[in-house]
Amino acid sequence: MIKWKLMFATLPFVAAVLLARMLLDRIFGFSGVVEFSEVGPVLTGGVFLIGFMLTGTMSDYKESERLPAELASTLEAIEEIFCLAAVGRPSLDATALQHQVLAAAEVIQAWLWRRMGPTDMLQKIAELNRPIHDLEIAGASVLAGRAVGELGGLRKILLRIDVISRTSFLVSGYALLETVVVCVIGLLFLSRFKSAISEYTLMTFVTLIFVYMLRLIKDVDDPFEYSTDGARGAAEVDLYPLQEYRERAARRLNLDSSSQWVFSRHNHHK
């Protein structure tokens, strides 16, 4: 149903345009002042602009599809480094270290679900420096250095997600696109058609295409627009790599993989 979500949300706009046109025809007797064929250049320009804007937003979207997998891979690498460092070093508790990585994964998912801001999220991620310091103190300097590198890579991914989510592609382009869509719909009201069938058919499909594409481009521009309950929009990237990592990490710790904030509960019990 997700693939139809944007379509269903666009249909009320199309219905409103058709209803307004019907009122003009039936009540006010207005049948247009220009031929529909004369509107062709405006439609062509609108299609060109839609293609330009969609191409620009898709470049960030294709990158965004890779980021959840990179997040999961980096977190798992940090966990493996921690577990390797704990081998033969009694001062390091491998389970406690794994819990801290799992806590970081849960914080990231909460941030993606709009349950906390980026500043709070980055502060929580910075807490991974503590176990890295423990590695250094325990004599695992090489592994601590690798963990620092992975943590830096994790921050880069998170900041890139934040920039993509909070930055709109070419704001002036959106202004022009919105103006063109409004002008196209306005010209449809001013157009004359050869028959009622062609009138309502063309108005339906032209309005649907232009309004749908405008909404699609805006949706694609923020591929991480999740709600607080994790619900996806019509064009959000899938976070399943991060969720599947959390499930794997929870199984390794013999925890309920469906629970959240496992690390907080663990610390409370300790």
Side-chain angles (χ1 to χ4, degrees):
M1 286 298 293
I2 289 179
K3 69 178 181 179
W4 294 105
K5 186 175 182 178
L6 189 59
M7 177 66 75
F8 291 146
T10 306
L11 290 178
F13 291 93
V14 179
V17 170
L18 291 177
L19 180 60
R21 178 67 188 202
M22 192 177 299
L23 290 174
L24 286 176
D25 285 346
R26 305 293 174 82
I27 297 179
F28 298 99
F30 180 78
S31 59
V33 295
V34 297
E35 295 295 333
F36 178 74
S37 58
E38 298 174 1
V39 183
V42 179
L43 296 178
T44 302
V47 170
F48 172 79
L49 183 58
I50 285 173
F52 170 74
M53 294 293 291
L54 186 60
T55 300
T57 54
M58 282 301 296
S59 61
D60 278 348
Y61 188 84
K62 295 303 293 183
E63 179 186 357
S64 300
E65 287 183 317
R66 300 194 299 267
L67 295 178
E70 292 180 8
L71 274 178
S73 176
T74 304
L75 287 167
E76 197 142 23
I78 293 174
E79 181 186 350
E80 290 171 351
I81 290 171
F82 285 173
C83 290
L84 183 60
V87 175
R89 295 181 174 88
S91 61
L92 296 177
D93 184 349
T95 299
L97 294 172
Q98 287 177 280
H99 272 289
Q100 295 191 59
V101 181
L102 179 56
E106 293 173 342
V107 165
I108 292 170
Q109 185 156 332
W111 168 64
L112 290 170
W113 284 357
R114 303 292 198 268
R115 294 178 182 174
M116 66 170 58
T119 301
D120 293 336
M121 179 272 297
L122 290 172
Q123 288 177 347
K124 292 287 186 181
I125 295 301
E127 293 178 6
L128 283 175
N129 281 304
R130 296 176 185 172
I132 293 175
H133 293 162
D134 292 340
L135 265 62
E136 184 72 28
I137 294 171
S141 300
V142 175
L143 293 174
R146 287 176 55 190
V148 168
E150 293 290 346
L151 182 58
L154 181 65
R155 284 199 186 95
K156 281 185 178 180
I157 298 170
L158 294 171
L159 290 173
R160 181 57 181 152
I161 290 175
D162 191 43
V163 169
I164 290 174
S165 180
R166 295 164 64 180
T167 305
S168 294
F169 171 76
L170 203 60
V171 178
S172 56
Y174 277 116
L176 179 58
L177 180 58
E178 291 170 359
T179 301
V180 168
V181 171
V182 172
C183 289
V184 165
I185 295 175
L187 287 172
L188 289 177
F189 284 112
L190 298 176
S191 298
R192 285 195 300 263
F193 299 88
K194 294 181 179 179
S195 66
I197 294 177
S198 63
E199 175 183 359
Y200 292 112
T201 300
L202 288 171
M203 288 199 68
T204 298
F205 283 101
V206 172
T207 303
L208 177 64
I209 291 170
F210 275 82
V211 175
Y212 182 91
M213 291 306 299
L214 173 61
R215 291 168 60 85
L216 176 63
I217 291 169
K218 288 186 175 182
D219 207 357
V220 169
D221 200 15
D222 184 1
F224 297 98
E225 196 176 7
Y226 283 81
S227 63
T228 55
D229 61 355
R232 291 178 57 192
E236 274 60 61
V237 298
D238 204 327
L239 299 179
Y240 73 85
L242 180 61
Q243 178 61 33
E244 289 180 356
Y245 164 70
R246 288 186 57 219
E247 293 172 356
R248 291 195 301 273
R251 283 197 298 268
R252 286 192 284 268
L253 293 168
N254 295 319
L255 298 172
D256 179 8
S257 62
S258 64
S259 64
Q260 293 184 357
W261 309 107
V262 175
F263 182 56
S264 299
R265 290 166 48 196
H266 173 72
N267 281 346
H268 177 72
H269 291 156
K270 288 174 65 179

